[in-house]
Amino acid sequence: MPLSEYTLRRRVMFHETDSAGIVHFSNYFRYMEEAEHALWRAAGISVASRGANVGLPRVSAAFDYHRPLQFEDEFDARIRIVSMREKSMRYVCVFTKGDEKIATGRVTVVCVSKDQDGVMRARPFPPDIASRFEVSAEAEAEA
Amino acid sequence: MPLSEYTLRRRVMFHETDSAGIVHFSNYFRYMEEAEHALWRAAGISVASRGANVGLPRVSAAFDYHRPLQFEDEFDARIRIVSMREKSMRYVCVFTKGDEKIATGRVTVVCVSKDQDGVMRARPFPPDIASRFEVSAEAEAEA
Amino acid sequence: MPLSEYTLRRRVMFHETDSAGIVHFSNYFRYMEEAEHALWRAAGISVASRGANVGLPRVSAAFDYHRPLQFEDEFDARIRIVSMREKSMRYVCVFTKGDEKIATGRVTVVCVSKDQDGVMRARPFPPDIASRFEVSAEAEAEA
Amino acid sequence: MPLSEYTLRRRVMFHETDSAGIVHFSNYFRYMEEAEHALWRAAGISVASRGANVGLPRVSAAFDYHRPLQFEDEFDARIRIVSMREKSMRYVCVFTKGDEKIATGRVTVVCVSKDQDGVMRARPFPPDIASRFEVSAEAEAEA
């Protein structure tokens, strides 16, 4: 059955904080990507072994920061597929710590492969990838 | 004279790349912050010594990625102030490598200080900070 | 009962790899610290809440690298206390992936606190910390 | 003329600090590698373009930490070749901030290439690399 979301529980590591005493804002993008890859693993496909000729570069990425995270905080990163097209997909990822909303991220990735002259070009997701994912019902309701 | 922009020349370090052979997308946010801090230093004020009681957390940050960067690439990160309000400022940061446009970033920061019960609250920029910066003419023309 | 070791199971994240296609060697030191902090949590004490006036800076840290780790590899980081003195402790941390030995790390940390003029000085571990740890029997046998 | 050392001036970036208010100890290894790559560029050879079939994995790496570095500190990382053999080289890298000695690092790298079955094996440095470097006179005097 195709998957549309995944919730990753994560603890803040010391090396992810900065001298303001909170998680550096750039690390939220890493957490979001970790949730994305956990979703792919849950769907039965490793991003690592997706084949040498398919890449998933980011087209855009953004975060709105609501509250800080500190060293050893545990939080949930819930990532959902909000759009799935022939050659690209979009995710929304909400971080929460208990009842508190911490941050909201968005990322768009495109499926590419290298053509014969070594240039990356957008291409349709291979069927074995596309068939494993679907847009979350929530996203459809919102649309 | 107040400053409104700064261009940082930067070379890609090996530890900033990932196994796709390009700079990991999260590092663009670090490069943008480096350009921001270089702008502050050029304005005669170190972000480090801005006083224990003023912080500059990020409210939102975003990047559009146009082309990848690879190990040892040299690029320019030109950051401009596009909005300056009592308690917040917004930057746009364009990365270029020679004639190629690499990426466009946006970040909004808010000025905060800790009140007596230890809670961070938005506050006006101190005059010694506010007086050193102004919105770029380009941004005003665009508005 | 005092603890002397901990084994952390960890998966390699994409942002931890470099363009040689393997985990960047600097990240091994982060993994080792993650195992150390997991050991402290298992001993019932959060490194984060150890009190504002006790710090644990590193005096030295080293790794011998035997085999590379790649994206999505799962490995174990087994950290053991090999020496515990009044003001310092030493760990050895061995990474394995299945039967393969990946790397061996060593780190020495010292207990410090800030005195009245703000200078960090070595000090004995507080009893509440010291009582929770002991040197591993294996290390004693090796000595 | 073969090179034996290089001094990199570097400023501490915000994202390199941790919530203890100092540079995270793992970043010293990144600084040392930046100095190593700057030495290679000064010798007229980019590590990036050293050819697809030569790699320089680390065999071991270590640091002794003498004093902390803080955000925006400027320091020098002076790297010297202390041993150069057919298939490996060793560096020592000393960090100083003004008159203060900050840290001393050591790293051993080995030259490898992939053989036909995809396994990495140690191999002699290609002559075009070996001819550009030599052991520092200081190291020879110490030996």
Side-chain angles (χ1 to χ4, degrees):
Chain A
M1 227 184 69
L3 285 186
S4 60
E5 66 165 82
Y6 189 86
T7 299
L8 175 74
R9 174 145 299 182
R10 182 68 155 74
R11 188 189 291 279
V12 171
M13 297 297 132
F14 187 62
H15 56 81
E16 295 162 355
T17 61
D18 61 33
S19 58
I22 58 177
V23 171
H24 193 262
F25 78 107
S26 63
N27 288 323
Y28 287 59
F29 292 91
R30 299 181 173 190
Y31 296 156
M32 177 162 60
E33 189 185 58
E34 291 184 14
E36 177 191 354
H37 292 168
L39 168 62
W40 282 57
R41 282 194 301 274
I45 189 165
S46 163
V47 177
S49 60
R50 66 183 180 262
N53 206 22
V54 175
L56 295 166
R58 272 88 248 278
V59 172
S60 64
F63 256 100
D64 291 317
Y65 301 93
H66 312 307
R67 286 164 187 275
L69 285 171
Q70 292 180 306
F71 176 41
E72 297 215 325
D73 278 351
E74 263 199 318
F75 66 98
D76 287 324
R78 181 184 174 223
I79 194 164
R80 291 186 300 125
I81 300 172
V82 295
S83 155
M84 179 116 203
R85 306 173 74 165
E86 198 197 5
K87 301 176 181 176
S88 66
M89 54 201 296
R90 283 197 301 121
Y91 303 95
V92 168
C93 189
V94 176
F95 294 0
T96 49
K97 188 181 71 174
D99 290 340
E100 286 186 331
K101 198 168 168 182
I102 299 295
T104 306
R106 285 171 186 79
V107 64
T108 302
V109 304
V110 64
C111 188
V112 301
S113 60
K114 240 178 223 169
D115 62 19
Q116 285 168 326
D117 46 336
V119 180
M120 289 291 190
R121 276 186 225 289
R123 49 154 289 166
F125 285 105
D128 182 53
I129 291 179
S131 62
R132 292 170 191 266
F133 299 108
E134 67 182 7
V135 171
S136 84
E138 222 169 305
E140 297 211 317
E142 286 159 12
Chain B
M1 226 183 69
L3 284 187
S4 60
E5 67 164 84
Y6 188 85
T7 299
L8 175 74
R9 174 145 299 183
R10 180 70 154 74
R11 187 189 293 275
V12 171
M13 297 296 133
F14 187 62
H15 57 82
E16 295 162 353
T17 61
D18 61 33
S19 58
I22 59 177
V23 171
H24 192 262
F25 78 106
S26 63
N27 288 324
Y28 286 59
F29 292 91
R30 299 182 171 188
Y31 296 155
M32 178 163 59
E33 190 185 58
E34 292 184 13
E36 177 192 354
H37 291 168
L39 168 63
W40 282 58
R41 282 194 301 273
I45 188 164
S46 163
V47 177
S49 61
R50 66 183 181 262
N53 206 23
V54 174
L56 296 166
R58 272 91 250 275
V59 172
S60 64
F63 255 100
D64 292 318
Y65 301 93
H66 312 308
R67 285 162 188 275
L69 285 170
Q70 293 181 306
F71 176 42
E72 297 214 324
D73 278 351
E74 263 199 319
F75 65 98
D76 287 324
R78 180 181 175 225
I79 194 164
R80 290 185 301 123
I81 300 172
V82 295
S83 155
M84 179 119 203
R85 306 174 75 164
E86 198 196 7
K87 302 176 180 176
S88 67
M89 53 201 296
R90 284 198 300 120
Y91 302 94
V92 168
C93 187
V94 176
F95 294 0
T96 48
K97 188 181 73 173
D99 290 339
E100 286 186 330
K101 199 169 170 180
I102 299 295
T104 306
R106 286 171 184 77
V107 63
T108 302
V109 305
V110 63
C111 188
V112 301
S113 59
K114 242 177 219 167
D115 62 19
Q116 285 168 328
D117 46 336
V119 181
M120 287 292 189
R121 274 187 225 290
R123 50 155 289 169
F125 285 105
D128 182 52
I129 291 180
S131 62
R132 291 171 191 265
F133 298 108
E134 67 182 7
V135 171
S136 83
E138 222 168 305
E140 298 211 316
E142 285 158 14
Chain C
M1 227 184 69
L3 284 187
S4 61
E5 66 164 81
Y6 188 85
T7 299
L8 175 75
R9 175 145 299 182
R10 181 68 156 75
R11 189 188 291 278
V12 171
M13 297 296 132
F14 188 61
H15 56 81
E16 295 161 355
T17 61
D18 61 34
S19 58
I22 59 177
V23 171
H24 193 261
F25 77 107
S26 63
N27 288 323
Y28 286 60
F29 293 91
R30 299 182 173 189
Y31 296 155
M32 178 162 60
E33 190 185 57
E34 291 184 14
E36 178 191 353
H37 291 168
L39 168 63
W40 283 56
R41 283 194 302 273
I45 188 166
S46 163
V47 177
S49 62
R50 66 181 181 264
N53 206 22
V54 175
L56 296 166
R58 271 89 250 277
V59 172
S60 64
F63 255 100
D64 291 317
Y65 301 93
H66 313 307
R67 284 162 188 277
L69 286 170
Q70 292 181 306
F71 176 42
E72 295 214 325
D73 278 351
E74 263 198 319
F75 65 98
D76 287 324
R78 180 183 174 223
I79 195 164
R80 291 184 302 123
I81 301 172
V82 295
S83 153
M84 178 117 205
R85 306 173 76 164
E86 198 197 6
K87 302 176 181 176
S88 67
M89 53 201 296
R90 284 195 301 122
Y91 303 94
V92 168
C93 188
V94 175
F95 294 1
T96 48
K97 189 181 73 173
D99 291 339
E100 286 186 331
K101 199 168 169 182
I102 300 295
T104 306
R106 286 171 184 79
V107 64
T108 301
V109 305
V110 62
C111 189
V112 300
S113 60
K114 240 177 221 170
D115 63 18
Q116 286 168 327
D117 46 336
V119 181
M120 288 291 190
R121 273 186 226 291
R123 49 154 289 167
F125 285 106
D128 182 53
I129 291 179
S131 63
R132 292 171 191 266
F133 298 107
E134 66 181 7
V135 171
S136 84
E138 220 170 306
E140 297 211 316
E142 286 158 13
Chain D
M1 227 185 68
L3 284 187
S4 60
E5 67 164 82
Y6 188 85
T7 299
L8 175 74
R9 175 146 297 184
R10 182 68 156 71
R11 188 188 292 277
V12 171
M13 297 296 132
F14 187 62
H15 56 81
E16 295 162 354
T17 62
D18 61 34
S19 59
I22 59 177
V23 171
H24 192 264
F25 78 106
S26 63
N27 288 324
Y28 285 60
F29 293 91
R30 299 182 173 188
Y31 296 157
M32 178 163 58
E33 190 185 58
E34 292 184 13
E36 178 191 353
H37 292 168
L39 167 63
W40 282 57
R41 283 194 300 274
I45 188 164
S46 164
V47 177
S49 61
R50 66 181 179 263
N53 205 22
V54 176
L56 296 166
R58 271 90 250 276
V59 172
S60 64
F63 255 100
D64 292 316
Y65 301 93
H66 312 307
R67 288 162 185 276
L69 286 171
Q70 293 179 305
F71 176 42
E72 297 213 326
D73 278 351
E74 263 199 320
F75 65 98
D76 287 324
R78 179 183 176 224
I79 194 164
R80 289 184 302 123
I81 300 172
V82 295
S83 155
M84 180 117 204
R85 304 174 75 165
E86 198 196 7
K87 301 176 181 177
S88 67
M89 53 201 296
R90 285 197 301 121
Y91 303 94
V92 167
C93 187
V94 176
F95 293 2
T96 49
K97 188 181 73 174
D99 290 339
E100 285 186 331
K101 197 169 168 179
I102 299 296
T104 307
R106 284 171 186 78
V107 64
T108 302
V109 305
V110 62
C111 189
V112 301
S113 60
K114 240 178 223 169
D115 62 19
Q116 285 168 327
D117 46 336
V119 181
M120 287 291 190
R121 274 187 224 290
R123 50 155 288 167
F125 286 105
D128 182 52
I129 291 180
S131 62
R132 292 170 191 265
F133 298 109
E134 67 182 6
V135 171
S136 83
E138 223 169 304
E140 297 212 316
E142 285 157 15

